Amino acid sequence: MTASLRTTAKPPSIGILTAGGDCPGLNAVIRGVVKSATQLGYGCIGFLKGYEGLVEPVRSMVLDKRNTSGILTQGGTILGSTNRGRFVGKRGIDETVAIEPELLASVRRTLDEMNIVGLVCIGGDGSLEIAQQLFEHGLPVVGVPKTIDNDLSATAFTFGFDSALSCATDALDRLHTTAASHERIMVLEVMGRHAGWIALYAGISGGGDVILIPEIPWTWEYICHKVLDREAGGTKFTLVVVAEGAHLPEGELVVREATAGGQVRLGGIGALVTEELQNRLGRETRCVVLGHLQRGGPPTTFDRVLATQFGAHAVRLVHHRRFGEMVCYRPPDIESVPIADAICHLRTVDPQGSAVQAARALGISFGDCPATESPFSMPAAASRGVRQ
Ligand code: F6P
């Protein structure tokens, strides 16, 4: 145990950790937890580098109003995070991995020694799977969902998504003018893992012409058709937004790297789409991969408000001993659900949902039908109710 970094807390304290990939708004949750916990008389201990900070060598810091003041607007996390290491909750999309019993015992020891009465675990689906396993082991855990991918079921939005979206929208705004000046096809690859939320929303808010997402199979012919249709109408440039997790027409995922632990790093589809369109159409085509810019920088106002509410509500759950629950956003309210219910499946884009239908109505192509086809003749567009 590293004595210099470890602080023994005698008063009842709330522990906080941030696990998995970072995103804007994590610090806003930490601040929300610390401020509201302090009002109720709890101390706060932040564990460093996700779940790793809970086990030997334990690494933690006392959090108080002073050292969390001013972090509301900061991107990243003052506690550090990792999506590698000894704690792995999930492999691939839905394979659960059991945490080693020695690690579970070690976490229990740390919480007991530090008098942690509730542990707030802020993470995406893999990190919340770990939180669930800690809870099943009898530990006092509550969950806070985070991810730019917005792919967690049980919450309408995760914080981080709006900030990533604003970055992708800004990129499209910038690409628009240069695409128009040079009469080029510009391809923007965005993150999102196996869900197309960032690509869909950015494509709508940034004036994309073609949106390729994992949830809608597409063909090269229909993308080319859209480009040619625009040209026939006098517009000589096209913006294509492609989600990193979109499958190629042959069904393949484009993977940058397979990491230890069976996870994959997605990425590279933007370059493939660019090359193929250039070859097929003979038009100048350029690719931009937005990458981790989407995860950096200050949170948007929406994410600050959501993250702050999540932090305050997580403390309420600890105070009322509602362990094993995760805070969630069910507009207009912040509520909670069992963590177990929240991690059982990914929330992906509904191809018949209102956002996709609105995009189609505007003439945006998903590469799945001829550009000239009336959007209102798409299956189920007219008769269904409005869904996100
Ligand atoms: O889950 C968030 C996310 O940014 C995904 O959109 C992306 O696929 C992945 O994390 C990137 O992970 P890493 O930071 O390990 O490259």
Side-chain angles (χ1 to χ4, degrees):
M1 195 168 291
T2 48
S4 56
L5 283 170
R6 177 159 178 195
T7 308
T8 306
K10 298 288 183 228
S13 290
I14 293 182
I16 313 166
L17 60 83
T18 49
D22 71 342
C23 72
L26 288 168
N27 284 326
V29 182
I30 295 169
R31 174 178 170 274
V33 168
V34 172
K35 281 194 165 233
S36 47
T38 308
Q39 303 256 61
L40 292 170
Y42 295 103
C44 284
I45 303 289
F47 291 95
L48 308 184
K49 283 267 175 202
Y51 293 96
E52 291 293 317
L54 285 165
V55 293
E56 298 293 333
V58 174
R59 287 185 299 160
S60 66
M61 65 189 278
V62 173
L63 294 171
D64 56 29
K65 280 189 176 172
R66 248 178 324 153
N67 63 11
T68 54
S69 165
I71 65 170
L72 173 65
T73 58
Q74 276 174 31
T77 159
I78 59 167
L79 298 176
S81 190
T82 179
N83 48 14
R84 313 274 181 264
R86 289 171 285 179
F87 288 84
V88 178
K90 269 194 178 172
R91 197 173 286 132
I93 299 184
D94 53 14
E95 188 192 337
T96 303
V97 181
I99 299 168
E100 301 289 327
E102 311 85 71
L103 285 178
L104 292 170
S106 179
V107 173
R108 179 187 293 282
R109 236 180 355 260
T110 303
L111 298 190
D112 286 349
E113 280 174 17
M114 299 177 97
N115 198 14
I116 302 291
V117 295
L119 179 66
V120 178
C121 301
I122 312 170
D125 69 327
S127 308
L128 290 169
E129 170 61 45
I130 298 168
Q132 173 63 16
Q133 291 190 35
L134 297 184
F135 171 66
E136 286 168 7
H137 190 65
L139 298 173
V141 163
V142 302
V144 174
K146 68 90 214 168
T147 170
I148 64 165
D149 305 332
N150 206 35
D151 61 354
L152 283 170
S153 60
T155 185
F157 288 100
T158 50
F159 66 87
F161 171 65
D162 189 61
S163 304
L165 182 59
S166 125
C167 172
T169 303
D170 179 58
L172 280 172
D173 290 347
R174 290 165 190 271
L175 291 176
H176 207 127
T177 53
T178 176
S181 308
H182 288 270
E183 300 187 335
R184 283 172 171 162
I185 301 170
M186 300 296 300
V187 177
L188 178 69
E189 178 185 312
V190 297
M191 283 184 166
R193 271 198 324 167
H194 304 290
W197 294 110
I198 299 178
L200 173 63
Y201 276 45
I204 293 173
S205 63
D209 306 300
V210 178
I211 301 174
L212 305 176
I213 58 176
E215 296 85 350
I216 301 181
W218 47 273
T219 69
W220 297 114
E221 289 74 20
Y222 289 143
I223 308 177
C224 293
H225 196 263
K226 177 67 184 174
V227 173
L228 296 174
D229 188 57
R230 282 171 63 76
E231 288 184 4
T235 310
K236 302 271 190 277
F237 70 93
T238 296
L239 292 182
V240 179
V241 189
V242 57
E244 63 178 0
H247 299 253
L248 290 171
E250 301 74 32
E252 278 164 73
L253 263 182
V254 184
V255 171
R256 199 176 286 286
E257 182 196 12
T259 62
Q263 298 289 46
V264 289
R265 264 184 70 213
L266 298 174
I269 192 169
L272 294 181
V273 169
T274 302
E275 196 185 331
E276 188 71 23
L277 293 185
Q278 175 129 355
N279 289 343
R280 285 181 180 244
L281 292 164
R283 309 287 190 276
E284 272 199 313
T285 309
R286 298 286 188 268
C287 175
V288 173
V289 179
L290 208 43
H292 290 80
L293 288 173
Q294 294 158 101
R295 296 231 306 250
T300 57
T301 48
F302 178 86
D303 280 341
R304 290 177 202 188
V305 175
L306 186 61
T308 300
Q309 291 189 84
F310 276 1
H313 199 67
V315 170
R316 230 172 277 144
L317 291 181
V318 171
H319 193 59
H320 293 287
R321 304 288 181 264
R322 302 254 301 267
F323 301 122
E325 294 191 24
M326 179 193 92
V327 301
C328 62
Y329 180 39
R330 296 242 166 102
D333 296 319
I334 303 296
E335 299 179 359
S336 61
V337 288
I339 300 175
D341 292 355
I343 54 179
C344 55
H345 68 273
L346 287 186
R347 201 174 72 91
T348 51
V349 172
D350 177 359
Q352 307 299 338
S354 62
V356 171
Q357 297 305 336
R360 289 195 195 279
L362 265 62
I364 295 174
S365 167
F366 288 87
D368 62 338
C369 63
T372 43
E373 189 170 305
S374 162
F376 301 106
S377 68
M378 290 304 293
S383 59
R384 286 176 187 257
V386 172
R387 275 177 287 139
Q388 198 190 26

